[in-house]
Amino acid sequence: MLDQGAPPQNPIPAAPASPGVAARLMRRKPVEHLVAEGGQGEGGQLRRSLGLWQLTMISIGATLGTGIFVVLGDAVPEAGPAITLAFVIAGLTALFSALSYAELAGSIPVAGSSYSYAYATMGELVAWVCGWCLVLEYGVSVAAVAVGWGEYLNELLDGTIGVTVPDVVSSAPGEGGVINLPALIVVLLAMVFLLGGARESARANTIMVCVKIAALVLFCAVGFMGFKSGNYRDFMPLGMSGVSAAGATLFFSYIGFDAASTAGEEAKDPKRDLPRAIMLSLIIVTALYVLVAGVAVGAWNWKKFDGSEASLAAIMNDVSGQTFWGTLLALGAVISIASVVLTVLYGQTRILFAMSRDGLVPKALGRVHGKTGVPRLNTVLVSLFCGVLAALIPLGKLVDATSIGTLFAFGLVNIAVVVLRYRRPELERTFRVPFGPVLPVLGFLFCAYNMFSLDTVTWVVFGCWMALGLVFYFLYGYRRSRLAADEDLAVTAEK
C-alpha cells in the first residue's frame, strides 16, 4: 500500500517549451554576439582597413551629390527662396538622427547599420522591417543618383563636343526614352571598383569627394557674381506647407551620412572613429548645402528652376555669359555624383551581408572572396538590381521612394537609442546623445513629420514594398533565422 504522505520520487522535470510565434518575432540578438561575429562571412572575412579620414569621406561621398546637383531643381519650385530654410529643416531631421546613429555606431560597430541596432533593441521583426527599408533607401537611391549622373553627363558632352546622348537611350520609359543607358553604365562602373576591395574603393572615393567639394566651391564663387537680393523679396511664396514639402524631398540629400555606419566591420577603430565620421560629415555637408542653395536662389529667380535638371550648371552659364564654367561644373558633377553611386552601393552590400549572416536572406549574399575580402555575389546582384532600376524608373519617383524608406529607418534608430539605454545602461558608449532621451524623441518626431509631408502615391508604394517584405520574411527569414535556430538547439539540448 502506498504511503500517501511520502514525497514523489525522482520527479521528471518539465521540458522547456519552445517559444511561441510572438516571442520568436520579438527575439533580440545580444550586442555581444553582434560585435563578436563582426567581419565574419561565408568562406572569408571583411578586412579592417579604414581610418577616420576614409570613413568621413565615405559618409560625405554618399551624401553630397544628386541632392544638391539635381534635386534642387525639383525642390525650389515648392519652397521658393525659402529653399535654404527647407535645407535647414531637412538638416535638423538628419542631425537628430545622426546623433542617434553616432551613439549606436560607437556601441554596436557592425556592418548592418540601423538593421543591426534594431535587432539588438526591438527584436527580429522590427529589424527585418528596418533592413527592408534600408534595401529601399540604399538600392533605390543608387538608381536615383545614377539618373542624375546621366543628366550632367549630357550637359558635359554638350559643352565639350556639342552632342548629347539621344533621349531614346538616356531617358526612362514614360519620359521619352526606352532605357537610361548612362545611368546603367555608372552603376556597373561602381560595381567594378567595389569588386577590387574596400580600401581601393575608399581611395577612389576620396579623390572624387575632393573634386565634388571643389566644384561646389567654384559654383559659389561664380554664382555670387550674379547675386540679386531682389530674388529673396518674396521669401516664402507658397507658405510653410511648401517649405515642408520641399524639406521632405530634400531629405533625400542627407541619406548618405549613415553610410559610415555600414563600414563598422572594416574600420580600424570603429568605436572611436564611426561617431566622429558621422558627425563631421553631416556638419560639412549641411554647410555646403545651405551655402550653395543660398547662392543659387540669389543668382536665379526661383520660378526659373521649374523643370531644370542640371540647374547649377545653367546658373553658371547665365551668370558668366559663357558655357565654359557650366561645362567645368558638369565635369565636377559627373565625377562627384559617381562617388555617391559608389559609396551608397557599398553600404547596400554590407547591410545585405549582415542580414545574410543572420539567415534572414540567402547565405550566398554573405559569401566573402578570400583574396579581396569582398562579398562578390552580393555586390554583383545588388549592382544589377540598382542598374535596372536606374535604367527604367524616372528620377522623381525614385527620390520620394528613397526619402520615405530613409525616414522610417531613421525613426527606428532614434527609438533604438532610448531602448538600448534602458535595457543596457552599463554598455560602453564612446559617444552619447546629449539631453538624455529628449533629442532622440525629437528626431523621431521630425522623421514622422517629414514622412507625412510626402504625397499619397509615395505612401502607397511604401505600403506595397513593406507588404512584399513581410511576405518574404514569413516565407523565408522567419524559418531560416540563425538566432531562431540557435534557440531551438538550446531548447532541444535542455530536453
Side-chain angles (χ1 to χ4, degrees):
M1 186 171 180
L2 293 174
D3 185 356
Q4 298 295 325
Q9 297 181 3
N10 300 324
I12 300 174
S18 298
V21 174
R24 288 173 71 105
L25 295 178
M26 296 299 292
R27 55 189 168 230
R28 298 188 304 275
K29 191 170 184 179
V31 172
E32 291 77 9
H33 289 189
L34 282 166
V35 176
E37 65 186 16
Q40 297 177 16
E42 291 287 319
Q45 282 194 319
L46 302 178
R47 297 175 181 175
R48 295 195 177 276
S49 59
L50 306 176
L52 175 61
W53 172 251
Q54 290 94 337
L55 292 169
T56 304
M57 290 299 103
I58 286 173
S59 193
I60 294 176
T63 310
L64 193 61
T66 303
I68 193 67
F69 281 106
V70 179
V71 178
L72 188 66
D74 295 326
V76 172
E78 295 179 317
I83 188 66
T84 51
L85 179 59
F87 265 118
V88 171
I89 290 174
L92 280 174
T93 305
L95 174 62
F96 291 133
S97 297
L99 291 169
S100 295
Y101 263 100
E103 177 168 328
L104 292 172
S107 307
I108 314 173
V110 293
S113 186
S114 50
Y115 155 76
S116 295
Y117 309 153
Y119 212 161
T121 56
M122 291 176 280
E124 184 173 287
L125 179 61
V126 178
W128 168 262
V129 169
C130 187
W132 193 246
C133 283
L134 291 174
V135 171
L136 180 67
E137 171 194 342
Y138 278 80
V140 179
S141 68
V142 167
V145 171
V147 172
W149 182 85
E151 290 165 356
Y152 269 96
L153 176 65
N154 262 339
E155 188 76 19
L156 175 62
L157 293 174
D158 185 41
T160 51
I161 58 177
V163 299
T164 58
V165 181
D167 287 346
V168 69
V169 290
S170 65
S171 299
E175 292 196 335
V178 175
I179 185 173
N180 192 329
L181 194 57
L184 175 60
I185 289 172
V186 73
V187 174
L188 296 181
L189 287 174
M191 179 189 75
V192 172
F193 274 106
L194 290 175
L195 290 174
R199 180 187 296 175
E200 291 72 14
S201 300
R203 286 173 181 167
N205 173 66
T206 298
I207 295 170
M208 290 188 281
V209 167
C210 291
V211 170
K212 79 168 72 179
I213 292 175
L216 291 175
V217 170
L218 173 66
F219 167 80
C220 291
V222 175
F224 192 74
M225 294 188 296
F227 193 92
K228 300 180 183 69
S229 58
N231 287 337
Y232 278 92
R233 189 167 296 138
D234 187 9
F235 183 69
M236 203 180 294
L238 302 176
M240 194 61 203
S241 60
V243 175
S244 298
T249 298
L250 288 173
F251 191 77
F252 171 81
S253 309
Y254 289 93
I255 67 165
F257 74 82
D258 60 323
S261 67
T262 67
E265 296 175 26
E266 290 163 285
K268 295 176 182 177
D269 190 352
K271 285 182 173 289
R272 184 196 68 179
D273 292 341
L274 288 179
R276 294 180 181 182
I278 290 170
M279 297 310 301
L280 271 173
S281 62
L282 187 63
I283 291 170
I284 293 170
V285 165
T286 302
L288 279 169
Y289 280 164
V290 173
L291 179 62
V292 170
V295 171
V297 175
W300 246 21
N301 184 281
W302 67 274
K303 295 179 181 178
K304 294 179 67 175
F305 283 84
D306 193 16
S308 174
E309 301 292 355
S311 53
L312 297 190
I315 290 172
M316 292 184 78
N317 290 339
D318 274 4
V319 169
S320 64
Q322 52 184 306
T323 60
F324 171 77
W325 294 109
T327 302
L328 190 60
L329 181 76
L331 173 62
V334 166
I335 295 172
S336 60
I337 293 176
S339 76
V340 184
V341 177
L342 177 69
T343 48
V344 176
L345 194 62
Y346 164 83
Q348 173 72 95
T349 61
R350 273 31 180 195
I351 289 166
L352 284 175
F353 170 83
M355 295 175 75
S356 169
R357 186 169 54 202
D358 292 331
L360 301 186
V361 296
K363 287 186 177 181
L365 297 177
R367 189 172 296 121
V368 177
H369 189 264
K371 184 177 180 181
T372 61
V374 172
R376 275 192 169 181
L377 180 62
N378 179 342
T379 301
V380 171
L381 292 179
V382 168
S383 300
L384 293 176
F385 171 74
C386 294
V388 170
L389 281 182
L392 301 178
I393 307 296
L395 176 63
K397 302 298 181 185
L398 292 171
V399 170
D400 286 345
T402 301
S403 293
I404 196 168
T406 304
L407 287 164
F408 190 88
F410 283 10
L412 290 179
V413 168
N414 285 295
I415 295 173
V417 167
V418 179
V419 173
L420 191 63
R421 284 196 184 185
Y422 173 75
R423 289 189 169 167
R424 297 295 304 275
E426 83 290 352
L427 194 67
E428 179 190 3
R429 291 168 171 84
T430 54
F431 176 86
R432 294 180 70 91
V433 180
F435 307 112
V438 175
L439 292 188
V441 169
L442 283 175
F444 172 78
L445 293 176
F446 265 77
C447 288
Y449 174 77
N450 278 281
M451 284 182 73
F452 285 107
S453 296
L454 293 168
D455 59 34
T456 305
V457 174
T458 302
W459 274 96
V460 170
V461 171
F462 181 66
C464 292
W465 177 257
M466 296 311 303
L468 178 64
L470 289 173
V471 169
F472 184 90
Y473 171 73
F474 283 107
L475 290 180
Y476 185 92
Y478 177 78
R479 302 174 185 278
R480 296 174 181 265
S481 164
R482 180 179 166 191
L483 187 59
D486 292 343
E487 289 177 354
D488 289 344
L489 282 174
V491 169
T492 302
E494 289 182 31
K495 290 180 180 180

